[in-house]
Amino acid sequence: MDVGYFLKLLLSGLTRGSIYALIALGYTMVYGIIKLINFAHGELYMLGAFTGLIVASLMSYSGINPVLSLIVATIIAIIYSSAYGVAIEKIAYKPLRKSQRLSALISAIGVSMFLQNFVLLFQTSDFLSFPNLIPTFKFLKPVENYLSSAQVLIYICTALFLIGFTILVKFTKTGKAMRATSQDSKMAQLLGISINKVISFTFLIGSAAAAIGGVLISSQVGQINFYIGFIVGIKAFVAAVLGGIGSLAGAVLGSFVLGLVESFGTGYISSNYEDLFAFVVLIVILTFKPAGLLGKSEKQKV
Amino acid sequence: MLKIDNIHTYYGHIHALKGISLEVEQGEIISLIGANGAGKSTTLLSISGLEKPRTGTITFNGEDLTKLSPEKIVNLGITQAPEGRRIFPNLTILENLELGAFLRNDKKQIKKDIEFMYGLFPILGQRRNQLGGTLSGGEQQMLTISRALMMEPKLLLLDEPSLGLAPIIVQQIFDIIKKMNDEYNITVFLVEQNANQALKISDRGYVLQNGVITLTDTGENLLKNDEVRRAYLGV
Ligand SMILES: Nc1ncnc2c1ncn2[C@@H]1O[C@H](COP(=O)(O)OP(=O)(O)OP(=O)(O)O)[C@@H](O)[C@H]1O
Ligand SMILES: [Mg+2]
């Protein structure tokens, strides 16, 4: 067995997993709180990538330091995607909160199509190249065949985000309010928790994570178009379901499982089936664990 | 303090409260008794703003509650320990208590109050870091009441706190309700099917039947009332 090749696939699987995790969290958080599959979530990742692209290009044309450009681009992408995420909930989902779940789901699909076409119209259907802003880490020189600077940056950012997010959810008042709301929103209201605020905050955090993922992966891949959110969105959704939708740890675990399966699958089987592996793992896992890897039965969710 | 004036509350086409009026004065313990489906819980949910009455008004110290969101109502000092306990099963006992004080910011006093609850119900202290869902029914009821008290309410709404509990625990719960009223000046509006125990500690009571109040008197008199004795005391 070629150990080097194996290692390369492993590391690239972890990269995919990181990006999926950043996006899957948004799906699972929103589902945990309002029981909605936010089909438009992938588009927030795409919007983040486009915002990042625009800001980064402007900055790098004006000769600003690439690292600074990347940081500023990421921050603006986070702000922009979060604003969209929060606004989408207020405009497209909140009015439907009391109606059947299907209505909100259809609304979500509508928002997704709207955002894709919105970007298609104002940008182009072609792939646009994303400036390469990621610095080359010199200490990676000996292993550059296996591991790129972009990958390392993706690991670090994902890890930092997950740590911060865990602290937020576990230890802060807002985090406790979020967990309480996802377990019993009426009771949460009886304790004075504003579920509107909790929901907005949930969309904000989820969108911010998606935007970070969007900018990072685009800087690594080097090109984007209006459609990137769709396929990545579906994959991250699969990851969230794999882990047990509504479970935060499950979303992260599911993402890494999916990332690794895809990476090894394309590497050892065939890259023609890249998008098929996701669904194969999904079916296999749900056959044995219908609630997902860390999912709990309907009765006690999240 | 609380004044409900001719409210009608619906669930879709179901007319659950058909023109209810009642009053709770500062410092009182008031019971609302009635059979299953009479509309007791709906009355409490209407006060807390989770089920808005279609017509009628509910005022608390002069402020109209029907226009306020549930969290604003809590902020005025009205908390509810709802039917069915509703503790957060996947939060620890400590976290459940902390959330009871969600609208408070006095961290030090909150800590002291949590210790106070542990004193009241030692089992909660012993199991503070376990998940709420692992508690027995009676223990969950203790947590529900403690959590509601953590808000330092002016008016405490309790929906069937004794339901499904062993007699000795029922007694303990009623004793604590009385104590909170006596020593901490918390006004209590109590919904109960356990009419006997409830009326014993109540200043006044109301009898609710099919969404209408049919009788009201002092607790003492209601306990002697033939109709009440037949229908709710099983005598
Ligand atoms: N969510 C709901 N949807 C539809 N109808 C409801 C709902 N909740 C209560 N009802 C109906 O409203 C009426 C009053 O119910 P409520 O729960 O207030 O009664 P209750 O006096 O609290 O009864 P119990 O002693 O059984 O708790 C009943 O006829 C009940 O079936
Ligand atoms: Mg009831």
Side-chain angles (χ1 to χ4, degrees), chain A residues 81-256:
Chain A
S81 288
S82 303
Y84 262 87
V86 172
I88 289 168
E89 189 276 323
K90 292 240 183 290
I91 295 166
Y93 305 151
K94 194 175 169 194
L96 298 172
R97 218 181 271 166
K98 292 215 166 81
S99 30
Q100 292 178 3
R101 281 206 227 166
L102 187 62
S103 321
L105 193 66
I106 291 169
S107 186
I109 294 170
V111 171
S112 168
M113 297 196 316
F114 169 80
L115 290 177
Q116 281 181 28
N117 287 291
F118 171 76
V119 173
L120 173 64
L121 217 62
F122 286 94
Q123 298 289 328
T124 148
S125 65
D126 300 333
F127 271 95
L128 298 175
S129 75
F130 201 99
N132 179 14
L133 304 170
I134 298 177
T136 312
F137 299 130
K138 293 218 174 59
F139 65 88
L140 289 178
K141 190 91 187 135
V143 289
E144 66 183 356
N145 288 332
Y146 310 109
L147 188 60
S148 69
S149 301
Q151 284 178 301
V152 172
L153 190 68
I154 289 173
Y155 301 149
I156 293 173
C157 290
T158 306
L160 288 178
F161 183 86
L162 291 180
I163 291 168
F165 182 73
T166 308
I167 292 172
L168 172 87
V169 170
K170 266 205 128 45
F171 301 112
T172 68
K173 205 167 168 178
T174 308
K176 285 174 200 158
M178 286 169 77
R179 285 185 286 147
T181 305
S182 86
Q183 286 172 45
D184 186 342
S185 64
K186 286 222 162 128
M187 188 60 230
Q189 282 179 290
L190 286 177
L191 297 177
I193 294 168
S194 158
I195 55 169
N196 284 331
K197 280 190 198 154
V198 168
I199 291 171
S200 291
F201 188 73
T202 304
F203 273 84
L204 187 139
I205 296 285
S207 315
I212 296 172
V215 175
L216 286 174
I217 197 72
S218 309
S219 350
Q220 189 204 15
V221 174
Q223 55 172 14
I224 61 175
N225 79 349
F226 73 100
Y227 204 60
I228 57 167
F230 182 74
I231 193 75
V232 175
I234 298 254
K235 298 268 189 72
F237 171 61
V238 166
V241 174
L242 264 186
I245 188 109
S247 157
L248 299 174
V252 176
L253 179 67
S255 296
F256 283 103

Side-chain angles (χ1 to χ4, degrees), chain B residues 11 14 16 35-42 83 160 193:
Chain B
Y11 294 99
I14 297 170
N36 292 117
K40 304 180 298 295
S41 300
T42 308
E83 192 172 44
E160 304 206 29
Q193 292 202 39

Side-chain angles (χ1 to χ4, degrees), chain B:
Chain B
M1 179 184 223
L2 179 80
K3 191 168 189 308
I4 298 182
D5 191 13
N6 197 23
I7 56 166
H8 290 258
T9 305
Y10 294 76
Y11 294 99
H13 296 296
I14 297 170
H15 195 173
L17 300 185
K18 301 164 187 157
I20 285 185
S21 301
L22 58 82
E23 266 183 79
V24 180
E25 297 296 340
Q26 162 80 40
E28 284 186 312
I29 298 184
I30 300 295
S31 295
L32 179 66
I33 58 176
N36 292 117
K40 304 180 298 295
S41 300
T42 308
T43 306
L44 293 192
L45 293 174
S46 300
I47 299 171
S48 286
L50 283 179
E51 298 295 342
K52 293 282 180 198
R54 207 172 281 175
T55 59
T57 57
I58 305 176
T59 51
F60 182 69
N61 294 332
E63 192 154 357
D64 187 358
L65 301 185
T66 53
K67 299 196 171 54
L68 299 180
S69 63
E71 62 268 18
K72 291 256 166 60
I73 293 173
V74 179
N75 209 12
L76 292 177
I78 304 178
T79 56
Q80 178 173 166
E83 192 172 44
R85 298 160 194 151
R86 307 285 282 266
I87 51 139
F88 300 111
N90 296 333
L91 261 54
T92 65
I93 286 152
L94 173 61
E95 287 171 334
N96 268 278
L97 288 172
E98 285 171 339
L99 280 171
F102 185 76
L103 293 178
R104 293 170 54 186
N105 290 315
D106 46 343
K107 277 195 181 150
K108 274 200 187 130
Q109 190 57 41
I110 291 176
K111 276 223 166 83
K112 279 191 198 151
D113 289 351
I114 290 177
E115 289 305 322
F116 175 82
M117 298 305 160
Y118 293 160
L120 221 46
F121 300 110
I123 187 79
L124 299 182
Q126 287 156 26
R127 301 180 57 179
R128 63 188 78 182
N129 293 319
Q130 292 182 28
L131 296 182
T134 64
L135 292 176
S136 76
E139 292 159 356
Q140 291 189 6
Q141 190 62 60
M142 295 173 194
L143 180 55
T144 305
I145 292 178
S146 313
R147 183 179 61 183
L149 289 171
M150 284 301 297
M151 192 40 219
E152 298 183 313
K154 296 189 182 108
L155 172 63
L156 176 62
L157 311 174
L158 294 170
D159 197 340
E160 304 206 29
S162 76
L163 189 72
L165 302 184
I168 182 161
I169 302 181
V170 171
Q171 192 54 51
Q172 194 189 353
I173 300 261
F174 278 103
D175 288 346
I176 281 172
I177 295 170
K178 187 89 183 84
K179 178 173 159 170
M180 289 300 136
N181 178 255
D182 284 345
E183 293 174 24
Y184 298 91
N185 198 24
I186 296 174
T187 308
V188 178
F189 187 48
L190 177 62
V191 160
E192 261 300 341
Q193 292 202 39
N194 191 339
N196 188 24
Q197 297 265 21
L199 290 172
K200 266 186 201 157
I201 62 163
S202 295
D203 296 294
R204 294 185 296 117
Y206 291 88
V207 176
L208 185 63
Q209 242 171 345
N210 291 322
V212 188
I213 293 204
T214 54
L215 197 60
T216 173
D217 208 330
T218 60
E220 219 173 316
N221 287 344
L222 285 175
L223 276 170
K224 290 188 222 143
N225 184 295
D226 283 341
E227 201 184 316
V228 173
R229 285 163 68 92
R230 224 175 304 116
Y232 306 107
L233 300 175
V235 190

